[in-house]
């Protein structure tokens, strides 16, 4: 019986590859542009403490643009007791805010804004109950954007907020 064995070096190569991966993860490649902010934000928002349960080890921080920082600052000041700091249409749009805040930001349309992760009825309820005040409409790139009832409801029922370089932010509710 001819039993072939793996070459001895293959185990060491596997150990070396795992060690290199661990070093790179600990080094936080996201801080130099190699991370995936969408998945980091998703993991962070689902952490055991209800938002931000994942430590910042390996998660890029300080990734907000000047306009995103303005949106976040406005939403924080205008929160007025709202449970949700900010809603965006897509997870891609929410990711930088979730990373910066550790949570309290929702993506109403899932990954590419075409899911009804938050329906129109749920959006109306969140606003009516005072759980949501600030909504940012950027990031809606999916098919059928013009037919989305949420996209029509927000400008009709919320006041547009004018910030320097930002034209897609709305304040909802009383």
């Amino acid at each position: 019986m001819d039993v072939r064995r793996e070459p001895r070096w293959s185990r060491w190569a596997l150990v070396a590859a795992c060690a290199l991966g661990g070093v790179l993860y600990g080094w936080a490649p996201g801080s130099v542009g190699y991370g995936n902010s969408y998945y980091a934000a998703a993991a962070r928002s689902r952490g055991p403490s209800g938002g931000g349960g994942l430590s910042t080890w390996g998660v890029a921080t300080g990734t907000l643009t000047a306009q995103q920082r303005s949106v976040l600052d406005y939403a924080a000041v205008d929160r007025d007791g709202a449970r949700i700091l900010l809603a965006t249409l897509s997870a891609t749009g929410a990711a930088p805010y979730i990373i910066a805040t550790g949570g309290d930001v929702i993506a109403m349309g899932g990954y590419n804004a075409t899911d009804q992760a938050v329906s129109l009825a749920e959006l109306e309820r969140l606003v009516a109950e005072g759980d949501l005040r600030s909504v940012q409409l950027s990031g809606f790139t999916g098919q059928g954007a013009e037919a989305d009832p949420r996209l029509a409801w927000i400008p009709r029922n919320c006041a547009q907020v004018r910030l320097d370089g930002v034209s897609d932010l709305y304040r909802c509710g009383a």
Side-chain angles (χ1 to χ4, degrees):
M1 180 188 221
D2 183 24
V3 177
R4 295 184 188 223
R5 293 182 163 214
E6 295 177 358
R8 188 174 189 157
W9 61 266
S10 68
R11 289 185 186 181
W12 288 110
L14 177 62
V15 169
C18 290
L20 178 61
V23 167
L24 290 175
Y25 183 78
W27 174 51
S31 65
V32 290
Y34 293 109
N36 185 313
S37 61
Y38 169 71
Y39 292 111
R44 191 173 175 136
S45 70
R46 303 268 190 260
S49 67
L54 185 67
S55 74
T56 56
W57 187 72
V59 177
T61 57
T63 58
L64 296 179
T65 65
Q67 288 83 10
Q68 289 170 329
R69 174 57 55 195
S70 294
V71 168
L72 192 58
D73 290 344
Y74 173 83
V77 169
D78 194 54
R79 192 171 193 169
D80 194 27
R83 183 174 51 88
I84 301 164
L85 176 65
L86 177 67
T88 65
L89 289 177
S90 71
T92 305
Y97 298 115
I98 293 171
I99 291 171
T101 65
D104 297 337
V105 177
I106 60 170
M108 297 186 301
Y111 179 72
N112 65 357
T114 58
D115 299 335
Q116 291 285 320
V118 175
S119 68
L120 177 57
E122 290 167 315
L123 174 63
E124 290 172 333
R125 182 187 56 77
L126 288 170
V127 170
E129 293 176 1
D131 286 333
L132 175 64
R133 296 274 180 254
S134 298
V135 178
Q136 189 174 26
L137 293 182
S138 66
F140 194 84
T141 58
Q143 283 184 318
E146 64 283 348
D148 189 301
R150 299 167 302 172
L151 199 58
W153 185 88
I154 292 166
R156 278 197 324 262
N157 294 279
C158 304
Q160 188 172 12
V161 176
R162 300 266 183 207
L163 298 176
D164 206 18
V166 178
S167 62
D168 59 352
L169 182 64
Y170 290 83
R171 185 191 193 283
C172 303

